[in-house]
Amino acid sequence: MRTVLFLFGVLLTPMSLAHDTAKVPEPMDEDSLLKAFGWDKAGAEVTSEKITDSLHVLFGLGGNIAVSVGDDGVLIVDDQFPELIPKVKTAIKALGGGQVDFAINTHWHFDHAAGNLVLGPAGTWLVSQANSREKMKKSNIINLVVAAHEQPAYPPKALPVITFEDSMQFHFNGEQIDLMHFGPAHTTGDAAIYFRGSNAVHMGDIFNTSGFPFIDAGNGGGIDGVIEFCKQVITQINKDTVVIPGHGPVSDYDTLLSYTRMLSTVRERISSLISKGATLEEVLAANVTAEFNEKYGDNKMLVDRAYTSLAHKHP
C-alpha cells in the first residue's frame, strides 16, 4: 500500500474556505478502516533493522518505531497499535532490552500512538509535543479523503505525562536525543527525534518513503508547514544522517532533500492554480505531480489535502 494513515482535529468545512473542498466521508470505526486499507493487526509481523549498536528500527503495522537500547534502559519513538505491543516487546527483548522506559509520540495519530493504551498503564513514561497531548484528550475526525475515522479520546493513563513546546533533550544510553517541533505540519503537534550520537533522525509522518505524504489539513496541518518542517530538520542534520520516515524504508539526507523539493514544486503549482480560481476537481485534473507519480504512486490524498490547506489563503 503506497498511502499511509495519519490523523487530525478541527475540521475545516467547505463554507470556511474561499474555494470548494471535497465532502468528508462518513467516519468508520478503526477495524473497518484498517480492513479497507488492507491492514491486518492479527497477522502483522514485527521485524527490525540495525542503525547502530544501540539504535534500531522496528517495522510492523503502522508507524515505524525507533528503539534505543542500552545501559539506561529502553526508549522508543512511536508505538503502533495495542495489539502489536507484545510483538514489539519480543523484538526489543531480542535486541537486548527489557521494559519500555520512555515512549515518545511523533504525533497523535492512532497508527503511531495507540500503543500508549498499553504502555501508559504499564508504567512507561509517555512523551509528546504539547499539541499532540491536547488532541489525544478528545475525539477527532481524521479525513483520509478516501475514508474517514473518528479517533476516540485516550484515557488519562494513555496520555503523555511529559510534553514540550519547541524543543527538549534526553541524555540517554550514551547520547543526546533532541526533540524538535517547528510548527504545524503533518499535524499541529509533530516532533522530529534526532539521536545525535547515532546520527539518525525519526521524522514521523512529516516524511514518508512509502508514497506521497498525507497532510492532516482537517486538524490544522498544511503543506506549507510540512515543507518548512523538513527544511528546518535539514538545517539540524548532515549529509551522513540516517533518516527514519514515519512509513516506508529507512532513508537518507539526499532523499529527504529531494522529497522537500518535490513538495515545494507541487505546492507552487497548486497555489498558482488556486490563485486563478481553480476548483479542487480542476487541480486534480491538472496532474500537478506528473513527474513524481511513478516514484510516489497515487496523488489524490496529497493533492486534496494540500489544496484544502492552501485554498483558505486566497480570496
Side-chain angles (χ1 to χ4, degrees):
M1 184 178 73
R2 282 190 164 274
T3 47
V4 292
L5 310 181
F6 326 118
L7 304 71
F8 356 126
V10 178
L11 230 49
L12 291 174
T13 66
M15 291 302 293
S16 69
L17 304 177
H19 296 256
D20 67 313
T21 57
K23 182 180 178 181
V24 179
E26 186 68 24
M28 299 179 178
D29 61 34
E30 184 178 296
D31 288 343
S32 298
L33 180 69
L34 295 186
K35 184 177 180 180
F37 278 84
W39 285 19
D40 176 16
K41 286 188 282 190
E45 296 297 328
V46 174
T47 61
S48 68
E49 178 177 337
K50 179 179 177 180
I51 305 299
T52 65
D53 287 343
S54 63
L55 184 67
H56 297 75
V57 179
L58 301 183
F59 306 92
L61 188 70
N64 295 334
I65 300 175
V67 181
S68 172
V69 177
D71 291 341
D72 294 327
V74 175
L75 178 150
I76 68 173
V77 178
D78 285 343
D79 52 29
Q80 298 188 358
F81 295 95
E83 295 86 348
L84 268 75
I85 292 300
K87 294 179 181 180
V88 169
K89 288 183 174 180
T90 297
I92 290 172
K93 184 177 180 180
L95 299 175
Q99 70 176 18
V100 178
D101 299 289
F102 294 95
I104 303 169
N105 301 138
T106 60
H107 61 292
W108 57 273
H109 287 169
F110 65 91
D111 57 325
H112 293 256
N116 288 13
L117 296 166
V118 173
L119 294 177
T124 298
W125 293 87
L126 304 175
V127 185
S128 77
Q129 202 277 336
N131 293 335
S132 274
R133 185 182 193 277
E134 288 302 308
K135 286 292 187 183
M136 292 180 203
K137 288 167 59 179
K138 58 187 178 181
S139 298
N140 301 284
I141 293 177
I142 303 160
N143 181 1
L144 297 160
V145 181
V146 296
H149 170 61
E150 184 171 5
Q151 179 172 320
Y154 284 12
K157 288 289 187 179
L159 294 174
V161 297
I162 302 171
T163 62
F164 70 99
E165 292 292 339
D166 299 321
S167 65
M168 70 176 291
Q169 294 178 342
F170 277 76
H171 298 274
F172 196 78
N173 288 337
E175 67 178 317
Q176 178 176 314
I177 305 169
D178 287 345
L179 285 62
M180 305 176 291
H181 171 72
F182 299 110
H186 168 62
T187 70
T188 58
D190 302 291
I193 319 301
Y194 189 15
F195 296 84
R196 290 193 177 271
S198 300
N199 197 18
V201 63
H202 194 312
M203 297 283 291
D205 283 344
I206 297 295
F207 178 51
N208 178 19
T209 60
S210 69
F212 286 113
F214 168 67
I215 299 169
D216 193 351
N219 291 292
I223 190 169
D224 284 341
V226 172
I227 293 167
E228 180 62 21
F229 204 111
C230 288
K231 288 179 176 178
Q232 290 295 330
V233 170
I234 288 167
T235 68
Q236 297 292 318
I237 63 177
N238 58 66
K239 293 185 178 181
D240 296 320
T241 302
V242 174
V243 184
I244 303 167
H247 298 260
V250 172
S251 191
D252 55 26
Y253 177 96
D254 287 338
T255 302
L256 175 60
L257 195 62
S258 64
Y259 170 93
T260 306
R261 289 170 177 164
M262 175 274 292
L263 288 177
S264 296
T265 298
V266 172
R267 185 258 181 231
E268 290 309 312
R269 290 173 181 172
I270 294 175
S271 183
S272 177
L273 289 168
I274 289 174
S275 69
K276 297 172 184 177
T279 64
L280 172 59
E281 289 73 19
E282 289 168 338
V283 172
L284 287 167
N287 198 11
V288 294
T289 62
E291 69 269 42
F292 308 116
N293 292 341
E294 183 176 356
K295 179 177 182 179
Y296 292 99
D298 188 348
N299 71 356
K300 183 178 180 181
M301 189 181 293
L302 169 64
V303 174
D304 183 293
R305 299 292 82 195
Y307 176 96
T308 299
S309 74
L310 290 168
H312 72 285
K313 296 184 178 182
H314 297 267

